[in-house]
Amino acid sequence: MIFDVQRFCTHDGPGIRTVVFLKGCSMRCQWCSNPESQKSKPEILFDAGLCLACRACLNPRFGGAMQELEGKIQPDRSKPVPEGLSKVCPSLALRVAGRLAAPRALVNEVCKDSAFFVRSGGGVTFSGGEPLEQAGYVLQCSRLFQQRGVSVAIETSLAVEPRALELLLGSPIEWLVDVKHVVPQKFRRQTGGSLEQVLTNIRRVSKASDRVTYRIPVIPGFNDCASEREGLLEFLSSLERASGGPIRLELLPYHDLAAGKYVQLNRPNPFNRKPLPEAVVETWKLEAETRGFVVNRGG
Amino acid sequence: MNGRLTRAKDTLLSTPATLCPERARIYTRVYRDNEPLPVLRRRSLALKQTLQEMTIYIEAEELVVGNTASRPKAAAIFPEYAVGWLENELEQINLRAAEAYQASREVKEEVKHLLSYWKGKTLQEHAHALLSPELEELLATKIIKAEGNMTSGDGHVAVNLRRLLEEGIGGYLARVKAALAALKPTSFADLKKRQLYLAMQDGLDGLCSYCNRYADLAASQAASALPERALELTVVEQTCRAIAIMPPQGFREALQLCVFVQMALQIESNGHSVSLGRLDNYLGPFYDRDLEAGRIDRTTALELLCCTWIKLTSVRKVRSASHTRTSGGGPLYQNVTIGGVDGGGNDATNAMSFLILDSVGEMKLTQPNLTVRYHAGLGGEFMAKCLEVLAKGFGMPAFNNDQIIVPGLLRLGVSPTDARDYAAIGCVEVAVPGKWGYRTTGMSFLNLMRVLLVTLNDGCDPSTGKIFLAGTRSLNTFADFGALMQAWKTQVQYYARATVAIDVAVDTALEDLVPDVLCSALTDDCIATGKHLKQGGAVYDWVSGLQVGIANLGNSLAALKKLVFEDKVIGKQVLLDALASDFAGSQGELLRLRLLNGAPKFGNDDDEVDQLLVQAYGYFIDEIERLPNTRFGRGPVGGGYYPGTSSISSNVPSGSEVGATPDGRHAGTPLAEGCSPSSGTDLLGPTAVFQSVAKLPTARILGGVLLNQKLSPKSVENPADMLKLEALIRTFFDDLKGWHVQYNIVSRETLLAAQKDPEGYRDLVVRVAGYSAFFRDLARDTQDDIISRTEHRL
């Protein structure tokens, strides 16, 4: 299940890339910028402001996935999202996140830009959601991509069963690994995940692959204070790594661009904060560089 | 920018545009005094007299001299082309919303008086006299527009500066004299040639005097100047004197001669897009020699180039209000082309290429219009420098791709050496400089969306009720989409022929009344053949009109095919009614959104729509390529047409003249610009746009495949992103064989702020469409159109 394919992405691995967003993630990070990526089933995004009340979506063939309650057209999220609903809305007030894409079809779609990949050193990036939740699918696609000379990157939080990771460790993959926190309670409270599992996986991938970039989402009130920063950087420094080169680190400062999506999903936004001051991000960068890391700003 | 340049730029920006009656005064007098002479001679004498008599000036700190009218940013008047519009608009010309010109009461009165002589004698009136009633009626509907050809003439030409720099004015004069001496007095043909040669001699004599007058002026100013300035003026004097007859010896002289010619050509003709060709290639050897001999250093050369761009930007041509709408911002499109390959196919970039790039980037003016000829062997250092200048955000340089254009020219029959020597003319269109006739593109616009609406309505133009080609049936009666395409083919081929029919009349009038003698003398092989450009004196001669609404055509056809014929979710009559009412009512709006969102759009790498456009535009291209221009069979290689999409800012006025269209576009709103996607409909980023555009038969579209992209300034902030931008452009050109791309790198916020505070942003230069202009000089609707274009981010 994927929910988007974005061409010409330049901050998700080397070169010019197409990013495939997979749907479904076990974590519930409060600052998640793709809330439509979390659940593993298709979901309706509904922007009431664009709705012209044409009622095309209320057609019985859609099984009541959209309903009219007290004069307002809105999704009935208890119903499954039927085939064809995504194309019915003329004003795009209603969109559906989540579709199945056969590996071969996906590869063909992505390879439209292969000329740009070759010249820029780019390729395809699996993102999410959590791509390793669909490790089998990713593996299948990756093999097809590699047959066509397209390099593969994976953006992952590694909050998955170790065997999902093992499935992919044998493939030549560019790993973009999230490192969010080093304190288990805080990690669980704000992401819903198990830090122990994540850290074990990070250690595993660092040891097994020499193509790892670590990515720290710098989140206000979660991991942006000095001790948390030091803890994270120290954790990275202490990693046993297959790569002999310097640690490649990307900082992803929190942004609040996802607020609209929460509204369209009819979900409360658990984390509506102001973006970080530039100085904070600069400090992170300097501190990391002092440790000999190669630091980029992403996001 | 040093102090001299900063002051000069500032003065230029704060100088108001004015009208200058001098040229009109002299031309009127000479024409009137020489009525028995053939037109050629009256024109050549008038040009010579103007060059000998007009006010010339040297501004306080100038190092490069030359002017077309009595003050900086003054526009000369060309009454022999047209007087009607100027008579009507003269009183209000200082109050126009876009491109206002100041003129005193005395100037206005004098101009009015001068115009009275020309009534009934102008190009525009003569051209109309040659048009059939049917074509007149067609022009009145504005489905085809050719006003610019009649009020401004041809332009879009580059003379053979390379040869002029080798031979000098004297060399050209000698060739003309030798040709004169070889004529047989008993021959009818030679009698005609004699008039041409005499006229060329006048033009070249005038140019020679023009050089000498600046030398004299510099000398007299030096006499009373402070020592430092006196020294500068003495150099100016020596430079101008040295090139009046003899070929230039050094870089400074070569550059100054190019500027003089550029000025003189724009005094001779009212056409714009008079271009300089491959200036790096012409000036490079002079610079290298000077550098080696220690006669010049890099800083001095850079400053002289900067001074030249100020000169070019100070030239003005006054246009009718309707004309200013199609070329917003008063551009003169004086193109300079750099880079590219040499005759052997190797990289031709030299030290001068870098200097030109640097100097244009330093001045950030609207002139010259800088084009870089891209090819696979273009060095990384040069490419990086191009992107560095591009990142300054004033829309230059634009890129043309040798890898598709050279084969395109070869396909026409241009020789390999000449094909590799092409340059951009005006905006993006191309020609072999110094060997090609006028109007490689421009000045005649076909509104494709008007033709599509005609196709849906059985040949009837819904805006005017006129029928030009009946019997192709209406949307209601098309059994399937194929029938619609057949009707489109019939209609668009009719209109293709109509554009040429109008051109034939206008070209004939141009040949009869306003032949250019100096421009002809400086273009090969007019002297050798004894023919001026309009008679077929150029080595090559193809022209192109411009087709407007390319993306809208594809999008409309795709919506019709999918929603009306395949899915049948929109009824035929329902659609016709909705278009006629501009999607009135809530049902109309729903239908519009379905057209907009429910069918594929050009620019998203979707074959459904891209291939439809290829087919539909292909019908036009097939027809236009079959048609001859007025020089066919009279000498030049070619003598035909090719298509072109470098339709400058005409997408805005053309859109204002089209009703609602099946792509979900509201009546009166802008059409898509050039070959770019319709604003806001390219949703998949620049790679998808490139893929779509590259599917068009671009090797045939030598009139230009105009593609504008807008990038967020954030996209070019760090070196890694610049490398990605380079990879993006290289892939488009090397792999997809893209034809051209140009960039606007300016934020939406900046543009909105500039709309609110034009004075605070008076130096803001933006890419319009094939050229850059000062944002504040653009009409509001063109400003809005630029703001609404899709912005990509890296």
mmCIF file with all atom_site columns, all heavy atoms in Angstrom, chain A residues 7-8 10 52 54 90 112-113 115 119, chain B residues 590 593 597 605 686-687 691 724 731 735 794:
data_model
loop_
_atom_site.group_PDB
_atom_site.id
_atom_site.type_symbol
_atom_site.label_atom_id
_atom_site.label_alt_id
_atom_site.label_comp_id
_atom_site.label_asym_id
_atom_site.label_entity_id
_atom_site.label_seq_id
_atom_site.pdbx_PDB_ins_code
_atom_site.Cartn_x
_atom_site.Cartn_y
_atom_site.Cartn_z
_atom_site.occupancy
_atom_site.B_iso_or_equiv
_atom_site.pdbx_formal_charge
_atom_site.auth_seq_id
_atom_site.auth_comp_id
_atom_site.auth_asym_id
_atom_site.auth_atom_id
_atom_site.pdbx_PDB_model_num
ATOM 1   N N   . ARG A 1 7   ? 8.041   12.903 -7.694  1.00 0.00 ? 7   ARG A N   1
ATOM 2   C CA  . ARG A 1 7   ? 9.237   13.004 -8.534  1.00 0.00 ? 7   ARG A CA  1
ATOM 3   C C   . ARG A 1 7   ? 10.043  14.232 -8.140  1.00 0.00 ? 7   ARG A C   1
ATOM 4   O O   . ARG A 1 7   ? 9.561   15.131 -7.489  1.00 0.00 ? 7   ARG A O   1
ATOM 5   C CB  . ARG A 1 7   ? 8.807   13.099 -10.001 1.00 0.00 ? 7   ARG A CB  1
ATOM 6   C CG  . ARG A 1 7   ? 8.124   11.828 -10.456 1.00 0.00 ? 7   ARG A CG  1
ATOM 7   C CD  . ARG A 1 7   ? 7.351   12.018 -11.736 1.00 0.00 ? 7   ARG A CD  1
ATOM 8   N NE  . ARG A 1 7   ? 8.214   12.032 -12.914 1.00 0.00 ? 7   ARG A NE  1
ATOM 9   C CZ  . ARG A 1 7   ? 7.735   11.865 -14.146 1.00 0.00 ? 7   ARG A CZ  1
ATOM 10  N NH1 . ARG A 1 7   ? 6.443   11.651 -14.345 1.00 0.00 ? 7   ARG A NH1 1
ATOM 11  N NH2 . ARG A 1 7   ? 8.542   11.899 -15.183 1.00 0.00 ? 7   ARG A NH2 1
ATOM 12  N N   . PHE A 1 8   ? 11.266  14.253 -8.600  1.00 0.00 ? 8   PHE A N   1
ATOM 13  C CA  . PHE A 1 8   ? 12.157  15.388 -8.368  1.00 0.00 ? 8   PHE A CA  1
ATOM 14  C C   . PHE A 1 8   ? 12.251  15.780 -6.897  1.00 0.00 ? 8   PHE A C   1
ATOM 15  O O   . PHE A 1 8   ? 11.971  16.909 -6.509  1.00 0.00 ? 8   PHE A O   1
ATOM 16  C CB  . PHE A 1 8   ? 11.759  16.597 -9.215  1.00 0.00 ? 8   PHE A CB  1
ATOM 17  C CG  . PHE A 1 8   ? 12.835  17.637 -9.257  1.00 0.00 ? 8   PHE A CG  1
ATOM 18  C CD1 . PHE A 1 8   ? 14.046  17.361 -9.857  1.00 0.00 ? 8   PHE A CD1 1
ATOM 19  C CD2 . PHE A 1 8   ? 12.659  18.880 -8.677  1.00 0.00 ? 8   PHE A CD2 1
ATOM 20  C CE1 . PHE A 1 8   ? 15.059  18.306 -9.881  1.00 0.00 ? 8   PHE A CE1 1
ATOM 21  C CE2 . PHE A 1 8   ? 13.673  19.835 -8.697  1.00 0.00 ? 8   PHE A CE2 1
ATOM 22  C CZ  . PHE A 1 8   ? 14.866  19.538 -9.304  1.00 0.00 ? 8   PHE A CZ  1
ATOM 23  N N   . THR A 1 10  ? 14.878  16.237 -3.829  1.00 0.00 ? 10  THR A N   1
ATOM 24  C CA  . THR A 1 10  ? 16.325  16.458 -3.775  1.00 0.00 ? 10  THR A CA  1
ATOM 25  C C   . THR A 1 10  ? 16.870  16.406 -2.362  1.00 0.00 ? 10  THR A C   1
ATOM 26  O O   . THR A 1 10  ? 18.040  16.681 -2.144  1.00 0.00 ? 10  THR A O   1
ATOM 27  C CB  . THR A 1 10  ? 16.689  17.810 -4.411  1.00 0.00 ? 10  THR A CB  1
ATOM 28  O OG1 . THR A 1 10  ? 15.935  18.824 -3.750  1.00 0.00 ? 10  THR A OG1 1
ATOM 29  C CG2 . THR A 1 10  ? 16.369  17.837 -5.881  1.00 0.00 ? 10  THR A CG2 1
ATOM 30  N N   . LEU A 1 52  ? -18.123 21.428 -3.048  1.00 0.00 ? 52  LEU A N   1
ATOM 31  C CA  . LEU A 1 52  ? -19.162 22.213 -3.700  1.00 0.00 ? 52  LEU A CA  1
ATOM 32  C C   . LEU A 1 52  ? -20.524 21.560 -3.505  1.00 0.00 ? 52  LEU A C   1
ATOM 33  O O   . LEU A 1 52  ? -21.488 21.930 -4.152  1.00 0.00 ? 52  LEU A O   1
ATOM 34  C CB  . LEU A 1 52  ? -18.852 22.347 -5.185  1.00 0.00 ? 52  LEU A CB  1
ATOM 35  C CG  . LEU A 1 52  ? -17.561 23.106 -5.495  1.00 0.00 ? 52  LEU A CG  1
ATOM 36  C CD1 . LEU A 1 52  ? -17.140 22.870 -6.930  1.00 0.00 ? 52  LEU A CD1 1
ATOM 37  C CD2 . LEU A 1 52  ? -17.730 24.587 -5.227  1.00 0.00 ? 52  LEU A CD2 1
ATOM 38  N N   . CYS A 1 54  ? -21.725 18.748 -4.514  1.00 0.00 ? 54  CYS A N   1
ATOM 39  C CA  . CYS A 1 54  ? -22.319 18.169 -5.721  1.00 0.00 ? 54  CYS A CA  1
ATOM 40  C C   . CYS A 1 54  ? -22.896 16.792 -5.421  1.00 0.00 ? 54  CYS A C   1
ATOM 41  O O   . CYS A 1 54  ? -23.675 16.256 -6.180  1.00 0.00 ? 54  CYS A O   1
ATOM 42  C CB  . CYS A 1 54  ? -21.294 18.081 -6.844  1.00 0.00 ? 54  CYS A CB  1
ATOM 43  S SG  . CYS A 1 54  ? -20.034 16.807 -6.601  1.00 0.00 ? 54  CYS A SG  1
ATOM 44  N N   . PRO A 1 90  ? -14.962 16.390 -8.257  1.00 0.00 ? 90  PRO A N   1
ATOM 45  C CA  . PRO A 1 90  ? -14.451 17.312 -9.275  1.00 0.00 ? 90  PRO A CA  1
ATOM 46  C C   . PRO A 1 90  ? -13.555 18.401 -8.704  1.00 0.00 ? 90  PRO A C   1
ATOM 47  O O   . PRO A 1 90  ? -12.654 18.890 -9.386  1.00 0.00 ? 90  PRO A O   1
ATOM 48  C CB  . PRO A 1 90  ? -15.714 17.909 -9.897  1.00 0.00 ? 90  PRO A CB  1
ATOM 49  C CG  . PRO A 1 90  ? -16.785 17.697 -8.902  1.00 0.00 ? 90  PRO A CG  1
ATOM 50  C CD  . PRO A 1 90  ? -16.417 16.485 -8.106  1.00 0.00 ? 90  PRO A CD  1
ATOM 51  N N   . LYS A 1 112 ? 10.469  6.465  -15.201 1.00 0.00 ? 112 LYS A N   1
ATOM 52  C CA  . LYS A 1 112 ? 10.302  7.561  -16.165 1.00 0.00 ? 112 LYS A CA  1
ATOM 53  C C   . LYS A 1 112 ? 11.402  8.612  -16.002 1.00 0.00 ? 112 LYS A C   1
ATOM 54  O O   . LYS A 1 112 ? 11.761  9.296  -16.942 1.00 0.00 ? 112 LYS A O   1
ATOM 55  C CB  . LYS A 1 112 ? 8.947   8.237  -15.948 1.00 0.00 ? 112 LYS A CB  1
ATOM 56  C CG  . LYS A 1 112 ? 7.762   7.464  -16.507 1.00 0.00 ? 112 LYS A CG  1
ATOM 57  C CD  . LYS A 1 112 ? 6.471   8.193  -16.154 1.00 0.00 ? 112 LYS A CD  1
ATOM 58  C CE  . LYS A 1 112 ? 5.370   7.890  -17.162 1.00 0.00 ? 112 LYS A CE  1
ATOM 59  N NZ  . LYS A 1 112 ? 4.188   8.733  -16.925 1.00 0.00 ? 112 LYS A NZ  1
ATOM 60  N N   . ASP A 1 113 ? 11.907  8.738  -14.795 1.00 0.00 ? 113 ASP A N   1
ATOM 61  C CA  . ASP A 1 113 ? 12.937  9.746  -14.538 1.00 0.00 ? 113 ASP A CA  1
ATOM 62  C C   . ASP A 1 113 ? 14.337  9.149  -14.453 1.00 0.00 ? 113 ASP A C   1
ATOM 63  O O   . ASP A 1 113 ? 15.249  9.785  -13.929 1.00 0.00 ? 113 ASP A O   1
ATOM 64  C CB  . ASP A 1 113 ? 12.628  10.503 -13.238 1.00 0.00 ? 113 ASP A CB  1
ATOM 65  C CG  . ASP A 1 113 ? 11.739  11.716 -13.496 1.00 0.00 ? 113 ASP A CG  1
ATOM 66  O OD1 . ASP A 1 113 ? 11.437  11.975 -14.681 1.00 0.00 ? 113 ASP A OD1 1
ATOM 67  O OD2 . ASP A 1 113 ? 11.340  12.386 -12.532 1.00 0.00 ? 113 ASP A OD2 1
ATOM 68  N N   . ALA A 1 115 ? 16.736  8.807  -16.448 1.00 0.00 ? 115 ALA A N   1
ATOM 69  C CA  . ALA A 1 115 ? 17.822  9.622  -17.016 1.00 0.00 ? 115 ALA A CA  1
ATOM 70  C C   . ALA A 1 115 ? 18.321  10.641 -15.998 1.00 0.00 ? 115 ALA A C   1
ATOM 71  O O   . ALA A 1 115 ? 19.517  10.907 -15.900 1.00 0.00 ? 115 ALA A O   1
ATOM 72  C CB  . ALA A 1 115 ? 17.352  10.322 -18.276 1.00 0.00 ? 115 ALA A CB  1
ATOM 73  N N   . ARG A 1 119 ? 22.288  10.785 -14.211 1.00 0.00 ? 119 ARG A N   1
ATOM 74  C CA  . ARG A 1 119 ? 23.179  11.930 -14.318 1.00 0.00 ? 119 ARG A CA  1
ATOM 75  C C   . ARG A 1 119 ? 23.447  12.608 -12.974 1.00 0.00 ? 119 ARG A C   1
ATOM 76  O O   . ARG A 1 119 ? 24.496  13.215 -12.776 1.00 0.00 ? 119 ARG A O   1
ATOM 77  C CB  . ARG A 1 119 ? 22.611  12.938 -15.312 1.00 0.00 ? 119 ARG A CB  1
ATOM 78  C CG  . ARG A 1 119 ? 23.662  13.751 -15.987 1.00 0.00 ? 119 ARG A CG  1
ATOM 79  C CD  . ARG A 1 119 ? 23.118  14.432 -17.208 1.00 0.00 ? 119 ARG A CD  1
ATOM 80  N NE  . ARG A 1 119 ? 22.988  13.527 -18.330 1.00 0.00 ? 119 ARG A NE  1
ATOM 81  C CZ  . ARG A 1 119 ? 23.990  13.179 -19.132 1.00 0.00 ? 119 ARG A CZ  1
ATOM 82  N NH1 . ARG A 1 119 ? 25.187  13.640 -18.927 1.00 0.00 ? 119 ARG A NH1 1
ATOM 83  N NH2 . ARG A 1 119 ? 23.787  12.377 -20.149 1.00 0.00 ? 119 ARG A NH2 1
ATOM 84  N N   . LEU B 2 590 ? -18.944 23.290 -11.314 1.00 0.00 ? 590 LEU B N   1
ATOM 85  C CA  . LEU B 2 590 ? -18.644 21.864 -11.140 1.00 0.00 ? 590 LEU B CA  1
ATOM 86  C C   . LEU B 2 590 ? -18.072 21.267 -12.419 1.00 0.00 ? 590 LEU B C   1
ATOM 87  O O   . LEU B 2 590 ? -17.096 20.524 -12.403 1.00 0.00 ? 590 LEU B O   1
ATOM 88  C CB  . LEU B 2 590 ? -19.934 21.113 -10.813 1.00 0.00 ? 590 LEU B CB  1
ATOM 89  C CG  . LEU B 2 590 ? -20.234 20.924 -9.348  1.00 0.00 ? 590 LEU B CG  1
ATOM 90  C CD1 . LEU B 2 590 ? -21.574 20.230 -9.183  1.00 0.00 ? 590 LEU B CD1 1
ATOM 91  C CD2 . LEU B 2 590 ? -19.136 20.062 -8.719  1.00 0.00 ? 590 LEU B CD2 1
ATOM 92  N N   . LEU B 2 593 ? -14.526 22.404 -12.948 1.00 0.00 ? 593 LEU B N   1
ATOM 93  C CA  . LEU B 2 593 ? -13.558 21.698 -12.110 1.00 0.00 ? 593 LEU B CA  1
ATOM 94  C C   . LEU B 2 593 ? -13.339 20.274 -12.608 1.00 0.00 ? 593 LEU B C   1
ATOM 95  O O   . LEU B 2 593 ? -12.241 19.730 -12.529 1.00 0.00 ? 593 LEU B O   1
ATOM 96  C CB  . LEU B 2 593 ? -14.029 21.696 -10.654 1.00 0.00 ? 593 LEU B CB  1
ATOM 97  C CG  . LEU B 2 593 ? -13.932 23.065 -9.977  1.00 0.00 ? 593 LEU B CG  1
ATOM 98  C CD1 . LEU B 2 593 ? -14.659 23.065 -8.655  1.00 0.00 ? 593 LEU B CD1 1
ATOM 99  C CD2 . LEU B 2 593 ? -12.474 23.463 -9.791  1.00 0.00 ? 593 LEU B CD2 1
ATOM 100 N N   . ASN B 2 597 ? -9.755  19.080 -13.322 1.00 0.00 ? 597 ASN B N   1
ATOM 101 C CA  . ASN B 2 597 ? -9.139  18.062 -12.463 1.00 0.00 ? 597 ASN B CA  1
ATOM 102 C C   . ASN B 2 597 ? -9.343  16.634 -12.950 1.00 0.00 ? 597 ASN B C   1
ATOM 103 O O   . ASN B 2 597 ? -8.670  15.726 -12.485 1.00 0.00 ? 597 ASN B O   1
ATOM 104 C CB  . ASN B 2 597 ? -9.704  18.172 -11.043 1.00 0.00 ? 597 ASN B CB  1
ATOM 105 C CG  . ASN B 2 597 ? -9.387  19.507 -10.397 1.00 0.00 ? 597 ASN B CG  1
ATOM 106 O OD1 . ASN B 2 597 ? -8.289  20.021 -10.563 1.00 0.00 ? 597 ASN B OD1 1
ATOM 107 N ND2 . ASN B 2 597 ? -10.337 20.080 -9.692  1.00 0.00 ? 597 ASN B ND2 1
ATOM 108 N N   . ASP B 2 605 ? 4.014   14.573 -17.839 1.00 0.00 ? 605 ASP B N   1
ATOM 109 C CA  . ASP B 2 605 ? 4.586   13.361 -18.417 1.00 0.00 ? 605 ASP B CA  1
ATOM 110 C C   . ASP B 2 605 ? 3.523   12.286 -18.610 1.00 0.00 ? 605 ASP B C   1
ATOM 111 O O   . ASP B 2 605 ? 3.739   11.134 -18.285 1.00 0.00 ? 605 ASP B O   1
ATOM 112 C CB  . ASP B 2 605 ? 5.731   12.849 -17.504 1.00 0.00 ? 605 ASP B CB  1
ATOM 113 C CG  . ASP B 2 605 ? 6.577   11.781 -18.188 1.00 0.00 ? 605 ASP B CG  1
ATOM 114 O OD1 . ASP B 2 605 ? 6.416   11.581 -19.402 1.00 0.00 ? 605 ASP B OD1 1
ATOM 115 O OD2 . ASP B 2 605 ? 7.384   11.148 -17.489 1.00 0.00 ? 605 ASP B OD2 1
ATOM 116 N N   . PRO B 2 686 ? 9.607   19.557 -12.086 1.00 0.00 ? 686 PRO B N   1
ATOM 117 C CA  . PRO B 2 686 ? 10.263  19.925 -13.349 1.00 0.00 ? 686 PRO B CA  1
ATOM 118 C C   . PRO B 2 686 ? 10.657  18.745 -14.231 1.00 0.00 ? 686 PRO B C   1
ATOM 119 O O   . PRO B 2 686 ? 10.676  18.887 -15.449 1.00 0.00 ? 686 PRO B O   1
ATOM 120 C CB  . PRO B 2 686 ? 11.499  20.703 -12.899 1.00 0.00 ? 686 PRO B CB  1
ATOM 121 C CG  . PRO B 2 686 ? 11.725  20.326 -11.483 1.00 0.00 ? 686 PRO B CG  1
ATOM 122 C CD  . PRO B 2 686 ? 10.384  19.977 -10.912 1.00 0.00 ? 686 PRO B CD  1
ATOM 123 N N   . THR B 2 687 ? 10.946  17.584 -13.650 1.00 0.00 ? 687 THR B N   1
ATOM 124 C CA  . THR B 2 687 ? 11.357  16.478 -14.530 1.00 0.00 ? 687 THR B CA  1
ATOM 125 C C   . THR B 2 687 ? 10.189  16.051 -15.408 1.00 0.00 ? 687 THR B C   1
ATOM 126 O O   . THR B 2 687 ? 10.358  15.761 -16.591 1.00 0.00 ? 687 THR B O   1
ATOM 127 C CB  . THR B 2 687 ? 11.878  15.271 -13.723 1.00 0.00 ? 687 THR B CB  1
ATOM 128 O OG1 . THR B 2 687 ? 10.851  14.805 -12.842 1.00 0.00 ? 687 THR B OG1 1
ATOM 129 C CG2 . THR B 2 687 ? 13.106  15.626 -12.913 1.00 0.00 ? 687 THR B CG2 1
ATOM 130 N N   . GLN B 2 691 ? 9.906   16.082 -19.491 1.00 0.00 ? 691 GLN B N   1
ATOM 131 C CA  . GLN B 2 691 ? 9.531   14.905 -20.285 1.00 0.00 ? 691 GLN B CA  1
ATOM 132 C C   . GLN B 2 691 ? 8.400   15.253 -21.241 1.00 0.00 ? 691 GLN B C   1
ATOM 133 O O   . GLN B 2 691 ? 8.422   14.854 -22.411 1.00 0.00 ? 691 GLN B O   1
ATOM 134 C CB  . GLN B 2 691 ? 9.073   13.766 -19.364 1.00 0.00 ? 691 GLN B CB  1
ATOM 135 C CG  . GLN B 2 691 ? 10.108  13.323 -18.343 1.00 0.00 ? 691 GLN B CG  1
ATOM 136 C CD  . GLN B 2 691 ? 11.052  12.254 -18.858 1.00 0.00 ? 691 GLN B CD  1
ATOM 137 O OE1 . GLN B 2 691 ? 11.135  12.030 -20.053 1.00 0.00 ? 691 GLN B OE1 1
ATOM 138 N NE2 . GLN B 2 691 ? 11.766  11.604 -17.958 1.00 0.00 ? 691 GLN B NE2 1
ATOM 139 N N   . LYS B 2 724 ? 22.577  19.767 -8.252  1.00 0.00 ? 724 LYS B N   1
ATOM 140 C CA  . LYS B 2 724 ? 21.367  19.061 -8.679  1.00 0.00 ? 724 LYS B CA  1
ATOM 141 C C   . LYS B 2 724 ? 20.662  19.820 -9.794  1.00 0.00 ? 724 LYS B C   1
ATOM 142 O O   . LYS B 2 724 ? 20.136  19.216 -10.737 1.00 0.00 ? 724 LYS B O   1
ATOM 143 C CB  . LYS B 2 724 ? 20.441  18.835 -7.486  1.00 0.00 ? 724 LYS B CB  1
ATOM 144 C CG  . LYS B 2 724 ? 20.998  17.766 -6.559  1.00 0.00 ? 724 LYS B CG  1
ATOM 145 C CD  . LYS B 2 724 ? 20.195  17.568 -5.305  1.00 0.00 ? 724 LYS B CD  1
ATOM 146 C CE  . LYS B 2 724 ? 20.950  16.598 -4.388  1.00 0.00 ? 724 LYS B CE  1
ATOM 147 N NZ  . LYS B 2 724 ? 20.311  16.406 -3.100  1.00 0.00 ? 724 LYS B NZ  1
ATOM 148 N N   . THR B 2 731 ? 20.508  16.769 -17.911 1.00 0.00 ? 731 THR B N   1
ATOM 149 C CA  . THR B 2 731 ? 19.712  15.606 -18.315 1.00 0.00 ? 731 THR B CA  1
ATOM 150 C C   . THR B 2 731 ? 18.657  16.017 -19.336 1.00 0.00 ? 731 THR B C   1
ATOM 151 O O   . THR B 2 731 ? 18.429  15.323 -20.330 1.00 0.00 ? 731 THR B O   1
ATOM 152 C CB  . THR B 2 731 ? 19.018  14.968 -17.091 1.00 0.00 ? 731 THR B CB  1
ATOM 153 O OG1 . THR B 2 731 ? 19.985  14.778 -16.076 1.00 0.00 ? 731 THR B OG1 1
ATOM 154 C CG2 . THR B 2 731 ? 18.387  13.641 -17.466 1.00 0.00 ? 731 THR B CG2 1
ATOM 155 N N   . ASP B 2 735 ? 19.940  14.025 -22.478 1.00 0.00 ? 735 ASP B N   1
ATOM 156 C CA  . ASP B 2 735 ? 19.177  12.782 -22.606 1.00 0.00 ? 735 ASP B CA  1
ATOM 157 C C   . ASP B 2 735 ? 17.831  12.994 -23.280 1.00 0.00 ? 735 ASP B C   1
ATOM 158 O O   . ASP B 2 735 ? 17.445  12.235 -24.147 1.00 0.00 ? 735 ASP B O   1
ATOM 159 C CB  . ASP B 2 735 ? 18.969  12.157 -21.225 1.00 0.00 ? 735 ASP B CB  1
ATOM 160 C CG  . ASP B 2 735 ? 20.298  11.798 -20.577 1.00 0.00 ? 735 ASP B CG  1
ATOM 161 O OD1 . ASP B 2 735 ? 20.829  10.737 -20.897 1.00 0.00 ? 735 ASP B OD1 1
ATOM 162 O OD2 . ASP B 2 735 ? 20.816  12.611 -19.786 1.00 0.00 ? 735 ASP B OD2 1
ATOM 163 N N   . LEU B 2 794 ? 13.799  22.785 -5.227  1.00 0.00 ? 794 LEU B N   1
ATOM 164 C CA  . LEU B 2 794 ? 14.762  21.686 -5.200  1.00 0.00 ? 794 LEU B CA  1
ATOM 165 C C   . LEU B 2 794 ? 14.730  21.066 -3.811  1.00 0.00 ? 794 LEU B C   1
ATOM 166 O O   . LEU B 2 794 ? 14.472  21.758 -2.842  1.00 0.00 ? 794 LEU B O   1
ATOM 167 C CB  . LEU B 2 794 ? 16.169  22.191 -5.499  1.00 0.00 ? 794 LEU B CB  1
ATOM 168 C CG  . LEU B 2 794 ? 16.465  22.604 -6.938  1.00 0.00 ? 794 LEU B CG  1
ATOM 169 C CD1 . LEU B 2 794 ? 17.825  23.256 -6.997  1.00 0.00 ? 794 LEU B CD1 1
ATOM 170 C CD2 . LEU B 2 794 ? 16.457  21.407 -7.861  1.00 0.00 ? 794 LEU B CD2 1
#
